[in-house]
Amino acid sequence: MTIKPPLSHDTDLMITMRSRISLLVLLGALFAPTCVFAQKSPSAPPPDPTSDQLMMSAGFLSAHPDLRYRLLGLDEFKQGRYEDAFRFFQRASFYADKPSQGMVAEMLWNGQGVAKDPVLAYAWMDLAAERGYAGFLGLRERYWNSLNEAERERALADGEVIYAKYGDAAAQPRLATVLRRERRNITGSRTGFAGNVQIYVPGPGGFEQIDGSKFFDDRYWDPKQYQAWHDSIWMKPRIGRVRVGEVEQVPQQGPASRIPTAKPDTEAAEPATPQRDESRLGTQEEG
């Protein structure tokens, strides 16, 4: 999947207070791969494994449910199948994927694939902003400012339930369990010697080889490093200045949530999603 990044860059997210800007304006520049493995730059974020077709062919996404269900959600959204997109974003959210949580919020706000509900939309956007990602913080504050007092009270109450199931305290341990399990399953007895492992996958000209040192880079498997990789991309996203109507600068808000701390629901059931052909997931190029 290739989407051209915007040409301009501002350190502050600029949004309009008169005309709403879809979250996709922000995500369109960020869901795309930041760079490929052949590119190196001291100032560039770490490489995105979903930009490498061989990585995808080797089953990387099956071991990373946050990325897997996010990409499925994006594909459904692109096809206009909003109900299924909403379900896939919720499933990615179950594994602590903040961009997917932001998409759930925006779809609730707009009534895409689900009944319009600005109260639940705020709770989900508050969740998406849990780590202090700048773009989601700005949207969170815009949502909050549009609610009346009664809606704000309900948003905080409903938000506790959402945080219990999808907040980092519950979702990050789930993802960590999957990452550790799948790495053990893939490497088997050679865990710890990933640099010596060679992976062979079918390609257009026969079998192609992936160096294990790339596939098993710790930043994609160690839970703490994996979150740090996400943080490097989303904390201060590189996006162009968006101008729709009269534009005002939204000051960066602190990462603190208004929603009371909830006890993590570690026994929560994983959201169900429809079956899809995933053979080319993450490898298609945009026209």
Side-chain angles (χ1 to χ4, degrees), residues 50 55-69 71-72 91 95 175 177-179 181-183 185-186 215 220-221 226 270 278 281-282:
T50 65
M55 290 278 281
M56 297 299 95
S57 300
F60 185 89
L61 284 179
S62 65
H64 294 76
D66 55 330
L67 298 180
R68 174 189 178 188
Y69 295 116
L71 289 174
L72 284 165
R91 193 162 183 180
Y95 292 100
L175 180 60
T177 296
V178 174
L179 292 175
R181 181 190 67 221
E182 293 304 314
R183 182 167 187 174
N185 289 343
I186 293 171
F215 189 87
Y220 307 129
W221 300 92
Y226 189 59
E270 182 173 3
E278 302 181 33
L281 184 63

PDB file of all heavy atoms in Angstrom, residues 50 55-69 71-72 91 95 175 177-179 181-183 185-186 215 220-221 226 270 278 281-282:
ATOM      1  N   THR A  50       5.002  -3.213   7.090  1.00  0.00           N
ATOM      2  CA  THR A  50       3.922  -3.428   6.140  1.00  0.00           C
ATOM      3  C   THR A  50       4.223  -2.859   4.768  1.00  0.00           C
ATOM      4  O   THR A  50       3.447  -3.042   3.831  1.00  0.00           O
ATOM      5  CB  THR A  50       2.609  -2.819   6.659  1.00  0.00           C
ATOM      6  OG1 THR A  50       2.745  -1.392   6.751  1.00  0.00           O
ATOM      7  CG2 THR A  50       2.236  -3.385   8.012  1.00  0.00           C
ATOM      8  N   MET A  55       7.931  -9.304   3.700  1.00  0.00           N
ATOM      9  CA  MET A  55       7.565  -9.413   5.115  1.00  0.00           C
ATOM     10  C   MET A  55       6.119  -9.866   5.251  1.00  0.00           C
ATOM     11  O   MET A  55       5.778 -10.713   6.075  1.00  0.00           O
ATOM     12  CB  MET A  55       7.774  -8.070   5.818  1.00  0.00           C
ATOM     13  CG  MET A  55       9.225  -7.685   5.984  1.00  0.00           C
ATOM     14  SD  MET A  55       9.997  -8.476   7.409  1.00  0.00           S
ATOM     15  CE  MET A  55       9.387  -7.431   8.724  1.00  0.00           C
ATOM     16  N   MET A  56       5.259  -9.288   4.431  1.00  0.00           N
ATOM     17  CA  MET A  56       3.852  -9.653   4.488  1.00  0.00           C
ATOM     18  C   MET A  56       3.647 -11.102   4.052  1.00  0.00           C
ATOM     19  O   MET A  56       2.876 -11.840   4.632  1.00  0.00           O
ATOM     20  CB  MET A  56       3.034  -8.719   3.591  1.00  0.00           C
ATOM     21  CG  MET A  56       3.068  -7.249   4.010  1.00  0.00           C
ATOM     22  SD  MET A  56       2.415  -6.948   5.670  1.00  0.00           S
ATOM     23  CE  MET A  56       3.938  -6.971   6.635  1.00  0.00           C
ATOM     24  N   SER A  57       4.359 -11.507   3.007  1.00  0.00           N
ATOM     25  CA  SER A  57       4.236 -12.873   2.517  1.00  0.00           C
ATOM     26  C   SER A  57       4.705 -13.879   3.551  1.00  0.00           C
ATOM     27  O   SER A  57       4.244 -15.015   3.587  1.00  0.00           O
ATOM     28  CB  SER A  57       5.040 -13.041   1.223  1.00  0.00           C
ATOM     29  OG  SER A  57       4.576 -12.176   0.226  1.00  0.00           O
ATOM     30  N   ALA A  58       5.627 -13.464   4.393  1.00  0.00           N
ATOM     31  CA  ALA A  58       6.155 -14.368   5.409  1.00  0.00           C
ATOM     32  C   ALA A  58       5.251 -14.479   6.619  1.00  0.00           C
ATOM     33  O   ALA A  58       5.582 -15.163   7.570  1.00  0.00           O
ATOM     34  CB  ALA A  58       7.536 -13.890   5.849  1.00  0.00           C
ATOM     35  N   GLY A  59       4.104 -13.813   6.584  1.00  0.00           N
ATOM     36  CA  GLY A  59       3.157 -13.971   7.668  1.00  0.00           C
ATOM     37  C   GLY A  59       3.322 -12.996   8.803  1.00  0.00           C
ATOM     38  O   GLY A  59       2.854 -13.260   9.911  1.00  0.00           O
ATOM     39  N   PHE A  60       3.949 -11.869   8.566  1.00  0.00           N
ATOM     40  CA  PHE A  60       4.175 -10.899   9.639  1.00  0.00           C
ATOM     41  C   PHE A  60       2.861 -10.434  10.252  1.00  0.00           C
ATOM     42  O   PHE A  60       2.716 -10.340  11.470  1.00  0.00           O
ATOM     43  CB  PHE A  60       4.958  -9.705   9.089  1.00  0.00           C
ATOM     44  CG  PHE A  60       5.347  -8.691  10.117  1.00  0.00           C
ATOM     45  CD1 PHE A  60       6.543  -8.801  10.808  1.00  0.00           C
ATOM     46  CD2 PHE A  60       4.524  -7.614  10.398  1.00  0.00           C
ATOM     47  CE1 PHE A  60       6.910  -7.857  11.756  1.00  0.00           C
ATOM     48  CE2 PHE A  60       4.872  -6.667  11.338  1.00  0.00           C
ATOM     49  CZ  PHE A  60       6.077  -6.795  12.021  1.00  0.00           C
ATOM     50  N   LEU A  61       1.865 -10.138   9.423  1.00  0.00           N
ATOM     51  CA  LEU A  61       0.619  -9.594   9.936  1.00  0.00           C
ATOM     52  C   LEU A  61      -0.141 -10.585  10.801  1.00  0.00           C
ATOM     53  O   LEU A  61      -0.833 -10.182  11.736  1.00  0.00           O
ATOM     54  CB  LEU A  61      -0.278  -9.143   8.779  1.00  0.00           C
ATOM     55  CG  LEU A  61       0.110  -7.826   8.095  1.00  0.00           C
ATOM     56  CD1 LEU A  61      -0.842  -7.526   6.956  1.00  0.00           C
ATOM     57  CD2 LEU A  61       0.135  -6.680   9.088  1.00  0.00           C
ATOM     58  N   SER A  62      -0.029 -11.869  10.519  1.00  0.00           N
ATOM     59  CA  SER A  62      -0.743 -12.856  11.329  1.00  0.00           C
ATOM     60  C   SER A  62      -0.258 -12.862  12.764  1.00  0.00           C
ATOM     61  O   SER A  62      -0.974 -13.309  13.661  1.00  0.00           O
ATOM     62  CB  SER A  62      -0.593 -14.255  10.716  1.00  0.00           C
ATOM     63  OG  SER A  62       0.769 -14.678  10.746  1.00  0.00           O
ATOM     64  N   ALA A  63       0.954 -12.367  12.989  1.00  0.00           N
ATOM     65  CA  ALA A  63       1.512 -12.311  14.342  1.00  0.00           C
ATOM     66  C   ALA A  63       1.352 -10.933  14.968  1.00  0.00           C
ATOM     67  O   ALA A  63       1.776 -10.722  16.100  1.00  0.00           O
ATOM     68  CB  ALA A  63       2.993 -12.694  14.310  1.00  0.00           C
ATOM     69  N   HIS A  64       0.761  -9.987  14.228  1.00  0.00           N
ATOM     70  CA  HIS A  64       0.578  -8.619  14.719  1.00  0.00           C
ATOM     71  C   HIS A  64      -0.874  -8.216  14.483  1.00  0.00           C
ATOM     72  O   HIS A  64      -1.190  -7.513  13.513  1.00  0.00           O
ATOM     73  CB  HIS A  64       1.537  -7.659  14.002  1.00  0.00           C
ATOM     74  CG  HIS A  64       2.983  -7.925  14.319  1.00  0.00           C
ATOM     75  ND1 HIS A  64       3.674  -8.969  13.767  1.00  0.00           N
ATOM     76  CD2 HIS A  64       3.846  -7.277  15.143  1.00  0.00           C
ATOM     77  CE1 HIS A  64       4.918  -8.971  14.239  1.00  0.00           C
ATOM     78  NE2 HIS A  64       5.036  -7.956  15.072  1.00  0.00           N
ATOM     79  N   PRO A  65      -1.783  -8.647  15.359  1.00  0.00           N
ATOM     80  CA  PRO A  65      -3.216  -8.421  15.123  1.00  0.00           C
ATOM     81  C   PRO A  65      -3.608  -6.958  15.100  1.00  0.00           C
ATOM     82  O   PRO A  65      -4.618  -6.609  14.482  1.00  0.00           O
ATOM     83  CB  PRO A  65      -3.881  -9.153  16.285  1.00  0.00           C
ATOM     84  CG  PRO A  65      -2.821  -9.234  17.353  1.00  0.00           C
ATOM     85  CD  PRO A  65      -1.533  -9.388  16.607  1.00  0.00           C
ATOM     86  N   ASP A  66      -2.841  -6.093  15.744  1.00  0.00           N
ATOM     87  CA  ASP A  66      -3.169  -4.666  15.699  1.00  0.00           C
ATOM     88  C   ASP A  66      -3.047  -4.137  14.268  1.00  0.00           C
ATOM     89  O   ASP A  66      -3.955  -3.491  13.746  1.00  0.00           O
ATOM     90  CB  ASP A  66      -2.279  -3.880  16.661  1.00  0.00           C
ATOM     91  CG  ASP A  66      -0.788  -4.099  16.426  1.00  0.00           C
ATOM     92  OD1 ASP A  66      -0.396  -5.196  15.963  1.00  0.00           O
ATOM     93  OD2 ASP A  66       0.008  -3.173  16.715  1.00  0.00           O
ATOM     94  N   LEU A  67      -1.920  -4.417  13.604  1.00  0.00           N
ATOM     95  CA  LEU A  67      -1.724  -3.984  12.224  1.00  0.00           C
ATOM     96  C   LEU A  67      -2.637  -4.742  11.273  1.00  0.00           C
ATOM     97  O   LEU A  67      -3.186  -4.165  10.323  1.00  0.00           O
ATOM     98  CB  LEU A  67      -0.271  -4.184  11.808  1.00  0.00           C
ATOM     99  CG  LEU A  67       0.785  -3.393  12.574  1.00  0.00           C
ATOM    100  CD1 LEU A  67       2.172  -3.724  12.030  1.00  0.00           C
ATOM    101  CD2 LEU A  67       0.526  -1.896  12.496  1.00  0.00           C
ATOM    102  N   ARG A  68      -2.803  -6.030  11.516  1.00  0.00           N
ATOM    103  CA  ARG A  68      -3.618  -6.865  10.632  1.00  0.00           C
ATOM    104  C   ARG A  68      -5.052  -6.337  10.541  1.00  0.00           C
ATOM    105  O   ARG A  68      -5.566  -6.096   9.442  1.00  0.00           O
ATOM    106  CB  ARG A  68      -3.620  -8.299  11.163  1.00  0.00           C
ATOM    107  CG  ARG A  68      -4.547  -9.252  10.424  1.00  0.00           C
ATOM    108  CD  ARG A  68      -4.627 -10.580  11.159  1.00  0.00           C
ATOM    109  NE  ARG A  68      -5.538 -11.520  10.523  1.00  0.00           N
ATOM    110  CZ  ARG A  68      -5.890 -12.671  11.062  1.00  0.00           C
ATOM    111  NH1 ARG A  68      -5.400 -13.035  12.250  1.00  0.00           N
ATOM    112  NH2 ARG A  68      -6.733 -13.477  10.434  1.00  0.00           N
ATOM    113  N   TYR A  69      -5.691  -6.133  11.684  1.00  0.00           N
ATOM    114  CA  TYR A  69      -7.089  -5.724  11.656  1.00  0.00           C
ATOM    115  C   TYR A  69      -7.248  -4.252  11.294  1.00  0.00           C
ATOM    116  O   TYR A  69      -8.278  -3.851  10.748  1.00  0.00           O
ATOM    117  CB  TYR A  69      -7.760  -6.072  12.983  1.00  0.00           C
ATOM    118  CG  TYR A  69      -7.825  -7.559  13.211  1.00  0.00           C
ATOM    119  CD1 TYR A  69      -7.145  -8.169  14.262  1.00  0.00           C
ATOM    120  CD2 TYR A  69      -8.539  -8.382  12.337  1.00  0.00           C
ATOM    121  CE1 TYR A  69      -7.179  -9.535  14.451  1.00  0.00           C
ATOM    122  CE2 TYR A  69      -8.580  -9.757  12.511  1.00  0.00           C
ATOM    123  CZ  TYR A  69      -7.902 -10.329  13.567  1.00  0.00           C
ATOM    124  OH  TYR A  69      -7.931 -11.695  13.742  1.00  0.00           O
ATOM    125  N   LEU A  71      -5.400  -2.776   8.930  1.00  0.00           N
ATOM    126  CA  LEU A  71      -5.349  -2.789   7.472  1.00  0.00           C
ATOM    127  C   LEU A  71      -6.632  -3.348   6.875  1.00  0.00           C
ATOM    128  O   LEU A  71      -7.122  -2.861   5.846  1.00  0.00           O
ATOM    129  CB  LEU A  71      -4.140  -3.595   6.998  1.00  0.00           C
ATOM    130  CG  LEU A  71      -2.774  -2.946   7.227  1.00  0.00           C
ATOM    131  CD1 LEU A  71      -1.659  -3.905   6.845  1.00  0.00           C
ATOM    132  CD2 LEU A  71      -2.643  -1.651   6.443  1.00  0.00           C
ATOM    133  N   LEU A  72      -7.197  -4.376   7.508  1.00  0.00           N
ATOM    134  CA  LEU A  72      -8.471  -4.908   7.043  1.00  0.00           C
ATOM    135  C   LEU A  72      -9.572  -3.857   7.167  1.00  0.00           C
ATOM    136  O   LEU A  72     -10.417  -3.714   6.281  1.00  0.00           O
ATOM    137  CB  LEU A  72      -8.838  -6.168   7.833  1.00  0.00           C
ATOM    138  CG  LEU A  72      -8.077  -7.432   7.450  1.00  0.00           C
ATOM    139  CD1 LEU A  72      -8.232  -8.510   8.515  1.00  0.00           C
ATOM    140  CD2 LEU A  72      -8.554  -7.958   6.095  1.00  0.00           C
ATOM    141  N   ARG A  91     -11.709  -4.546  16.457  1.00  0.00           N
ATOM    142  CA  ARG A  91     -10.859  -5.697  16.771  1.00  0.00           C
ATOM    143  C   ARG A  91      -9.399  -5.289  16.876  1.00  0.00           C
ATOM    144  O   ARG A  91      -8.673  -5.785  17.742  1.00  0.00           O
ATOM    145  CB  ARG A  91     -11.043  -6.791  15.712  1.00  0.00           C
ATOM    146  CG  ARG A  91     -10.429  -8.124  16.133  1.00  0.00           C
ATOM    147  CD  ARG A  91     -10.973  -9.266  15.311  1.00  0.00           C
ATOM    148  NE  ARG A  91     -10.439 -10.546  15.760  1.00  0.00           N
ATOM    149  CZ  ARG A  91     -10.755 -11.721  15.207  1.00  0.00           C
ATOM    150  NH1 ARG A  91     -11.630 -11.760  14.199  1.00  0.00           N
ATOM    151  NH2 ARG A  91     -10.230 -12.840  15.661  1.00  0.00           N
ATOM    152  N   TYR A  95      -6.364  -4.810  20.548  1.00  0.00           N
ATOM    153  CA  TYR A  95      -4.926  -5.028  20.688  1.00  0.00           C
ATOM    154  C   TYR A  95      -4.174  -3.697  20.730  1.00  0.00           C
ATOM    155  O   TYR A  95      -3.063  -3.583  20.206  1.00  0.00           O
ATOM    156  CB  TYR A  95      -4.424  -5.925  19.562  1.00  0.00           C
ATOM    157  CG  TYR A  95      -4.947  -7.341  19.667  1.00  0.00           C
ATOM    158  CD1 TYR A  95      -6.019  -7.764  18.890  1.00  0.00           C
ATOM    159  CD2 TYR A  95      -4.393  -8.235  20.584  1.00  0.00           C
ATOM    160  CE1 TYR A  95      -6.521  -9.056  19.008  1.00  0.00           C
ATOM    161  CE2 TYR A  95      -4.896  -9.532  20.705  1.00  0.00           C
ATOM    162  CZ  TYR A  95      -5.950  -9.933  19.917  1.00  0.00           C
ATOM    163  OH  TYR A  95      -6.446 -11.211  20.040  1.00  0.00           O
ATOM    164  N   LEU A 175      -1.647  -7.836  23.557  1.00  0.00           N
ATOM    165  CA  LEU A 175      -0.763  -7.772  22.403  1.00  0.00           C
ATOM    166  C   LEU A 175       0.601  -8.351  22.733  1.00  0.00           C
ATOM    167  O   LEU A 175       1.191  -9.081  21.919  1.00  0.00           O
ATOM    168  CB  LEU A 175      -0.619  -6.325  21.931  1.00  0.00           C
ATOM    169  CG  LEU A 175       0.280  -6.094  20.721  1.00  0.00           C
ATOM    170  CD1 LEU A 175      -0.225  -6.856  19.508  1.00  0.00           C
ATOM    171  CD2 LEU A 175       0.381  -4.605  20.406  1.00  0.00           C
ATOM    172  N   THR A 177       1.310 -10.690  24.783  1.00  0.00           N
ATOM    173  CA  THR A 177       1.196 -12.151  24.809  1.00  0.00           C
ATOM    174  C   THR A 177       1.272 -12.725  23.401  1.00  0.00           C
ATOM    175  O   THR A 177       1.965 -13.723  23.147  1.00  0.00           O
ATOM    176  CB  THR A 177      -0.128 -12.566  25.467  1.00  0.00           C
ATOM    177  OG1 THR A 177      -0.127 -12.137  26.838  1.00  0.00           O
ATOM    178  CG2 THR A 177      -0.317 -14.073  25.418  1.00  0.00           C
ATOM    179  N   VAL A 178       0.574 -12.076  22.459  1.00  0.00           N
ATOM    180  CA  VAL A 178       0.589 -12.550  21.080  1.00  0.00           C
ATOM    181  C   VAL A 178       1.980 -12.405  20.476  1.00  0.00           C
ATOM    182  O   VAL A 178       2.489 -13.328  19.819  1.00  0.00           O
ATOM    183  CB  VAL A 178      -0.444 -11.793  20.233  1.00  0.00           C
ATOM    184  CG1 VAL A 178      -0.331 -12.191  18.766  1.00  0.00           C
ATOM    185  CG2 VAL A 178      -1.851 -12.061  20.742  1.00  0.00           C
ATOM    186  N   LEU A 179       2.619 -11.265  20.674  1.00  0.00           N
ATOM    187  CA  LEU A 179       3.945 -11.039  20.088  1.00  0.00           C
ATOM    188  C   LEU A 179       4.946 -12.085  20.582  1.00  0.00           C
ATOM    189  O   LEU A 179       5.708 -12.657  19.791  1.00  0.00           O
ATOM    190  CB  LEU A 179       4.439  -9.637  20.441  1.00  0.00           C
ATOM    191  CG  LEU A 179       3.685  -8.459  19.820  1.00  0.00           C
ATOM    192  CD1 LEU A 179       4.225  -7.138  20.368  1.00  0.00           C
ATOM    193  CD2 LEU A 179       3.787  -8.487  18.307  1.00  0.00           C
ATOM    194  N   ARG A 181       4.319 -15.065  21.956  1.00  0.00           N
ATOM    195  CA  ARG A 181       3.931 -16.416  21.532  1.00  0.00           C
ATOM    196  C   ARG A 181       4.273 -16.661  20.077  1.00  0.00           C
ATOM    197  O   ARG A 181       4.845 -17.701  19.722  1.00  0.00           O
ATOM    198  CB  ARG A 181       2.430 -16.603  21.758  1.00  0.00           C
ATOM    199  CG  ARG A 181       1.912 -18.002  21.367  1.00  0.00           C
ATOM    200  CD  ARG A 181       0.406 -18.038  21.387  1.00  0.00           C
ATOM    201  NE  ARG A 181      -0.170 -17.210  20.338  1.00  0.00           N
ATOM    202  CZ  ARG A 181      -1.235 -16.431  20.509  1.00  0.00           C
ATOM    203  NH1 ARG A 181      -1.833 -16.338  21.688  1.00  0.00           N
ATOM    204  NH2 ARG A 181      -1.708 -15.721  19.487  1.00  0.00           N
ATOM    205  N   GLU A 182       3.939 -15.699  19.209  1.00  0.00           N
ATOM    206  CA  GLU A 182       4.150 -15.901  17.784  1.00  0.00           C
ATOM    207  C   GLU A 182       5.633 -15.906  17.423  1.00  0.00           C
ATOM    208  O   GLU A 182       6.048 -16.654  16.542  1.00  0.00           O
ATOM    209  CB  GLU A 182       3.410 -14.827  16.992  1.00  0.00           C
ATOM    210  CG  GLU A 182       1.903 -14.919  17.084  1.00  0.00           C
ATOM    211  CD  GLU A 182       1.385 -16.272  16.644  1.00  0.00           C
ATOM    212  OE1 GLU A 182       1.823 -16.772  15.587  1.00  0.00           O
ATOM    213  OE2 GLU A 182       0.546 -16.856  17.365  1.00  0.00           O
ATOM    214  N   ARG A 183       6.417 -15.115  18.132  1.00  0.00           N
ATOM    215  CA  ARG A 183       7.852 -15.156  17.851  1.00  0.00           C
ATOM    216  C   ARG A 183       8.428 -16.515  18.238  1.00  0.00           C
ATOM    217  O   ARG A 183       9.245 -17.083  17.514  1.00  0.00           O
ATOM    218  CB  ARG A 183       8.596 -14.040  18.583  1.00  0.00           C
ATOM    219  CG  ARG A 183      10.084 -14.051  18.246  1.00  0.00           C
ATOM    220  CD  ARG A 183      10.784 -12.808  18.690  1.00  0.00           C
ATOM    221  NE  ARG A 183      12.162 -12.786  18.209  1.00  0.00           N
ATOM    222  CZ  ARG A 183      12.985 -11.771  18.350  1.00  0.00           C
ATOM    223  NH1 ARG A 183      12.574 -10.669  18.960  1.00  0.00           N
ATOM    224  NH2 ARG A 183      14.210 -11.818  17.885  1.00  0.00           N
ATOM    225  N   ASN A 185       6.772 -19.323  18.299  1.00  0.00           N
ATOM    226  CA  ASN A 185       6.256 -20.316  17.357  1.00  0.00           C
ATOM    227  C   ASN A 185       7.005 -20.279  16.025  1.00  0.00           C
ATOM    228  O   ASN A 185       7.252 -21.316  15.411  1.00  0.00           O
ATOM    229  CB  ASN A 185       4.764 -20.072  17.099  1.00  0.00           C
ATOM    230  CG  ASN A 185       3.908 -20.420  18.299  1.00  0.00           C
ATOM    231  OD1 ASN A 185       4.350 -21.112  19.206  1.00  0.00           O
ATOM    232  ND2 ASN A 185       2.677 -19.928  18.304  1.00  0.00           N
ATOM    233  N   ILE A 186       7.361 -19.080  15.577  1.00  0.00           N
ATOM    234  CA  ILE A 186       8.028 -18.946  14.279  1.00  0.00           C
ATOM    235  C   ILE A 186       9.481 -19.405  14.344  1.00  0.00           C
ATOM    236  O   ILE A 186       9.969 -20.122  13.478  1.00  0.00           O
ATOM    237  CB  ILE A 186       7.946 -17.494  13.779  1.00  0.00           C
ATOM    238  CG1 ILE A 186       6.486 -17.149  13.448  1.00  0.00           C
ATOM    239  CG2 ILE A 186       8.819 -17.294  12.547  1.00  0.00           C
ATOM    240  CD1 ILE A 186       6.265 -15.682  13.149  1.00  0.00           C
ATOM    241  N   PHE A 215      13.276  -9.679   9.612  1.00  0.00           N
ATOM    242  CA  PHE A 215      11.963 -10.149  10.038  1.00  0.00           C
ATOM    243  C   PHE A 215      11.840 -10.140  11.562  1.00  0.00           C
ATOM    244  O   PHE A 215      10.791  -9.805  12.111  1.00  0.00           O
ATOM    245  CB  PHE A 215      11.727 -11.560   9.510  1.00  0.00           C
ATOM    246  CG  PHE A 215      10.329 -12.070   9.710  1.00  0.00           C
ATOM    247  CD1 PHE A 215       9.345 -11.810   8.761  1.00  0.00           C
ATOM    248  CD2 PHE A 215       9.989 -12.799  10.834  1.00  0.00           C
ATOM    249  CE1 PHE A 215       8.054 -12.285   8.940  1.00  0.00           C
ATOM    250  CE2 PHE A 215       8.704 -13.276  11.014  1.00  0.00           C
ATOM    251  CZ  PHE A 215       7.727 -13.028  10.056  1.00  0.00           C
ATOM    252  N   TYR A 220       9.900  -4.999  16.423  1.00  0.00           N
ATOM    253  CA  TYR A 220       8.601  -5.496  16.004  1.00  0.00           C
ATOM    254  C   TYR A 220       8.080  -6.645  16.861  1.00  0.00           C
ATOM    255  O   TYR A 220       6.959  -7.106  16.644  1.00  0.00           O
ATOM    256  CB  TYR A 220       8.660  -5.956  14.539  1.00  0.00           C
ATOM    257  CG  TYR A 220       9.204  -4.913  13.611  1.00  0.00           C
ATOM    258  CD1 TYR A 220      10.229  -5.214  12.727  1.00  0.00           C
ATOM    259  CD2 TYR A 220       8.717  -3.601  13.631  1.00  0.00           C
ATOM    260  CE1 TYR A 220      10.743  -4.246  11.871  1.00  0.00           C
ATOM    261  CE2 TYR A 220       9.236  -2.639  12.790  1.00  0.00           C
ATOM    262  CZ  TYR A 220      10.249  -2.969  11.911  1.00  0.00           C
ATOM    263  OH  TYR A 220      10.763  -2.006  11.072  1.00  0.00           O
ATOM    264  N   TRP A 221       8.881  -7.090  17.833  1.00  0.00           N
ATOM    265  CA  TRP A 221       8.482  -8.250  18.621  1.00  0.00           C
ATOM    266  C   TRP A 221       8.563  -8.004  20.132  1.00  0.00           C
ATOM    267  O   TRP A 221       7.777  -8.571  20.875  1.00  0.00           O
ATOM    268  CB  TRP A 221       9.334  -9.467  18.241  1.00  0.00           C
ATOM    269  CG  TRP A 221       9.185  -9.831  16.805  1.00  0.00           C
ATOM    270  CD1 TRP A 221       9.955  -9.417  15.745  1.00  0.00           C
ATOM    271  CD2 TRP A 221       8.168 -10.669  16.233  1.00  0.00           C
ATOM    272  NE1 TRP A 221       9.493  -9.939  14.580  1.00  0.00           N
ATOM    273  CE2 TRP A 221       8.398 -10.719  14.832  1.00  0.00           C
ATOM    274  CE3 TRP A 221       7.110 -11.389  16.773  1.00  0.00           C
ATOM    275  CZ2 TRP A 221       7.589 -11.448  13.972  1.00  0.00           C
ATOM    276  CZ3 TRP A 221       6.301 -12.119  15.907  1.00  0.00           C
ATOM    277  CH2 TRP A 221       6.538 -12.147  14.535  1.00  0.00           C
ATOM    278  N   TYR A 226       8.157  -2.319  20.572  1.00  0.00           N
ATOM    279  CA  TYR A 226       7.089  -2.220  19.576  1.00  0.00           C
ATOM    280  C   TYR A 226       6.229  -0.979  19.835  1.00  0.00           C
ATOM    281  O   TYR A 226       5.878  -0.253  18.912  1.00  0.00           O
ATOM    282  CB  TYR A 226       6.239  -3.486  19.625  1.00  0.00           C
ATOM    283  CG  TYR A 226       5.225  -3.608  18.513  1.00  0.00           C
ATOM    284  CD1 TYR A 226       5.611  -3.624  17.178  1.00  0.00           C
ATOM    285  CD2 TYR A 226       3.867  -3.734  18.805  1.00  0.00           C
ATOM    286  CE1 TYR A 226       4.681  -3.756  16.160  1.00  0.00           C
ATOM    287  CE2 TYR A 226       2.920  -3.862  17.796  1.00  0.00           C
ATOM    288  CZ  TYR A 226       3.333  -3.871  16.480  1.00  0.00           C
ATOM    289  OH  TYR A 226       2.393  -4.003  15.467  1.00  0.00           O
ATOM    290  N   GLU A 270     -12.807 -11.106  22.586  1.00  0.00           N
ATOM    291  CA  GLU A 270     -12.305 -10.416  21.399  1.00  0.00           C
ATOM    292  C   GLU A 270     -13.452 -10.153  20.428  1.00  0.00           C
ATOM    293  O   GLU A 270     -14.262 -11.047  20.167  1.00  0.00           O
ATOM    294  CB  GLU A 270     -11.232 -11.263  20.720  1.00  0.00           C
ATOM    295  CG  GLU A 270     -10.597 -10.617  19.505  1.00  0.00           C
ATOM    296  CD  GLU A 270      -9.430 -11.445  18.977  1.00  0.00           C
ATOM    297  OE1 GLU A 270      -9.162 -12.521  19.522  1.00  0.00           O
ATOM    298  OE2 GLU A 270      -8.804 -10.984  18.003  1.00  0.00           O
ATOM    299  N   GLU A 278      -6.971 -12.618   2.935  1.00  0.00           N
ATOM    300  CA  GLU A 278      -5.873 -11.773   3.397  1.00  0.00           C
ATOM    301  C   GLU A 278      -4.574 -12.055   2.645  1.00  0.00           C
ATOM    302  O   GLU A 278      -3.498 -11.626   3.076  1.00  0.00           O
ATOM    303  CB  GLU A 278      -5.658 -11.970   4.899  1.00  0.00           C
ATOM    304  CG  GLU A 278      -6.895 -11.652   5.730  1.00  0.00           C
ATOM    305  CD  GLU A 278      -6.667 -11.814   7.222  1.00  0.00           C
ATOM    306  OE1 GLU A 278      -5.539 -11.555   7.682  1.00  0.00           O
ATOM    307  OE2 GLU A 278      -7.614 -12.217   7.938  1.00  0.00           O
ATOM    308  N   LEU A 281      -3.005  -8.766   1.737  1.00  0.00           N
ATOM    309  CA  LEU A 281      -3.211  -7.687   2.697  1.00  0.00           C
ATOM    310  C   LEU A 281      -1.889  -6.955   2.957  1.00  0.00           C
ATOM    311  O   LEU A 281      -0.874  -7.558   3.298  1.00  0.00           O
ATOM    312  CB  LEU A 281      -3.759  -8.245   4.013  1.00  0.00           C
ATOM    313  CG  LEU A 281      -4.123  -7.210   5.079  1.00  0.00           C
ATOM    314  CD1 LEU A 281      -5.229  -6.304   4.601  1.00  0.00           C
ATOM    315  CD2 LEU A 281      -4.538  -7.920   6.371  1.00  0.00           C
ATOM    316  N   GLY A 282      -1.944  -5.647   2.825  1.00  0.00           N
ATOM    317  CA  GLY A 282      -0.766  -4.834   3.086  1.00  0.00           C
ATOM    318  C   GLY A 282       0.214  -4.735   1.935  1.00  0.00           C
ATOM    319  O   GLY A 282       1.210  -4.052   2.043  1.00  0.00           O
TER     320      GLY A 282
END
